[in-house]
């Protein structure tokens, strides 16, 4: 039997284009620097936004993805603002999981302000589970990821762990700024959109806050539902005092 190839090691799934850039882009950069293959799956194409067409955003998302060093970036066609956890949508995510076979899946945290974000968490989790069942048919071999972690930057929760992204903070910010139609200082819709300087400050301040929790400069927060497993107490990172 021929071994089926894993197209990516880590797959970040998010509701909207630019979510990944805000919550776990630095982690994707770091994993890439460790030699791992990474990918992004955006569930929507951002057609409901005030600025920029879906085509424009597709080009921006592609540019942002290449700054993040991902091997591939895909977008599903779920309606923006109406991400729903239906069987049909789970099957769309399952098809991507079975094609890319990621070992680790990053999902948004399961609570939050935007319904698309928390619905994406549940939809993503259930797709990961069902993807492992042979009776869920998509014409592909069943595949279940090993690990799910939740990017919790949008959520007001204490992270289970953080990833040190200090060397990558500038690149992560550049990836966010690739969404020119959303973030550059523009005339139209300016009452709705925060200026670039404000976004820069927020991006760095948030990363600094989570870095501080672990004694590093910049970090991104994650929650995992499982307990941690330790072999050697001597190798536990992060000083207590
Ligand atoms: Zn979003």
């Amino acid at each position: 039997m021929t071994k089926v190839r894993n197209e990516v090691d880590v797959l970040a799934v998010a509701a909207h284009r630019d979510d990944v850039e805000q919550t776990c882009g630095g982690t994707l950069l770091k994993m890439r620097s460790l030699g791992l293959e990474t990918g992004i799956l955006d569930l929507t194409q951002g057609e409901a936004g005030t600025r920029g067409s879906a085509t424009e955003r597709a080009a921006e998302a592609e540019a942002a993805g290449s700054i993040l060093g991902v091997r591939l970036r895909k977008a599903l066609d779920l309606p923006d603002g109406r991400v729903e956890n239906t069987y049909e949508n789970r099957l769309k995510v399952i098809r991507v999981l079975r094609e890319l076979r990621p070992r680790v899946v990053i999902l948004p945290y399961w609570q939050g302000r935007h319904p698309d974000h928390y619905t994406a968490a549940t939809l993503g989790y259930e797709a990961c589970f069902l993807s492992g069942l042979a009776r869920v048919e998509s014409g592909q071999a069943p595949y279940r990821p090993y690990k799910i972690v939740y990017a919790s930057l949008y959520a007001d929760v204490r992270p289970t762990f953080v990833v040190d992204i200090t060397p990558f903070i500038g690149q992560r910010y550049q990836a966010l700024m690739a969404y020119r139609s959303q973030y550059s200082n523009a005339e139209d819709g300016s009452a709705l959109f925060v200026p670039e300087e404000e976004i820069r400050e927020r991006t760095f301040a948030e990363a600094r806050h989570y870095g501080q929790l672990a004694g590093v400069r910049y970090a991104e927060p994650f929650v995992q539902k499982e307990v941690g497993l330790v072999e050697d107490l001597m190798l536990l990172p992060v000083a207590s005092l």
Side-chain angles (χ1 to χ4, degrees), residues 169-201:
I169 184 78
Q171 228 170 317
R172 173 189 191 265
Y173 181 69
Q174 287 312 314
L176 186 59
M177 285 303 114
Y179 293 87
R180 303 299 308 171
S181 69
Q182 304 305 300
Y183 294 116
S184 58
N185 294 316
E187 292 295 316
D188 60 316
S190 52
L192 279 170
F193 289 84
V194 284
E196 193 172 330
E197 192 47 46
E198 163 68 23
I199 295 166
R200 185 184 172 84
E201 189 176 341

Side-chain angles (χ1 to χ4, degrees), residues 36 42 45-46 55 84 95 118 133 150 154 200 205 237:
L36 299 172
D42 304 309
Q45 301 184 16
T55 319
E84 290 168 350
R95 286 197 188 96
Y118 59 75
L133 304 181
Y150 297 87
Y154 289 140
R200 185 184 172 84

Side-chain angles (χ1 to χ4, degrees), residues 41-234:
L41 174 63
D42 304 309
L43 299 179
T44 68
Q45 301 184 16
E47 69 280 0
T50 312
R51 288 177 177 176
S53 63
T55 319
E56 204 174 348
R57 288 190 191 196
E60 291 170 345
E62 200 55 42
S66 64
I67 295 171
L68 294 178
V70 298
R71 178 165 184 190
L72 50 90
R73 178 171 209 154
K74 289 172 177 282
L76 295 181
D77 58 356
L78 276 54
D80 191 354
R82 269 180 47 207
V83 171
E84 290 168 350
N85 183 12
T86 62
Y87 185 74
E88 191 193 357
N89 288 345
R90 290 195 289 274
L91 208 51
K92 288 178 182 177
V93 178
I94 288 168
R95 286 197 188 96
V96 176
L97 292 170
R98 288 175 173 177
E99 179 196 340
L100 302 183
R101 304 170 65 85
R103 178 174 168 84
V104 177
V105 172
I106 302 174
L107 296 176
Y109 188 68
W110 59 87
Q111 288 178 329
R113 190 177 65 86
H114 198 313
D116 280 358
H117 294 166
Y118 59 75
T119 307
T122 317
L123 168 61
Y125 173 85
E126 293 182 11
C128 286
F129 185 91
L130 297 173
S131 176
L133 304 181
R135 64 180 163 79
V136 178
E137 285 187 34
S138 66
Q140 301 156 291
Y143 177 78
R144 184 171 289 165
Y146 175 74
K147 192 78 180 170
I148 298 172
V149 297
Y150 297 87
S152 62
L153 191 94
Y154 289 140
D156 183 22
V157 289
R158 188 171 173 84
T160 317
F161 64 91
V162 300
V163 174
D164 181 1
I165 60 155
T166 305
F168 307 103
I169 184 78
Q171 228 170 317
R172 173 189 191 265
Y173 181 69
Q174 287 312 314
L176 186 59
M177 285 303 114
Y179 293 87
R180 303 299 308 171
S181 69
Q182 304 305 300
Y183 294 116
S184 58
N185 294 316
E187 292 295 316
D188 60 316
S190 52
L192 279 170
F193 289 84
V194 284
E196 193 172 330
E197 192 47 46
E198 163 68 23
I199 295 166
R200 185 184 172 84
E201 189 176 341
R202 190 195 298 167
T203 300
F204 281 74
E206 281 171 339
R208 184 80 184 95
H209 165 70
Y210 287 110
Q212 193 102 22
L213 294 180
V216 300
R217 191 151 180 210
Y218 296 115
E220 285 171 341
F222 294 89
V223 171
Q224 69 164 7
K225 291 182 176 175
E226 305 77 41
V227 297
L229 174 67
V230 170
E231 293 290 339
D232 184 346
L233 295 182
M234 303 302 279

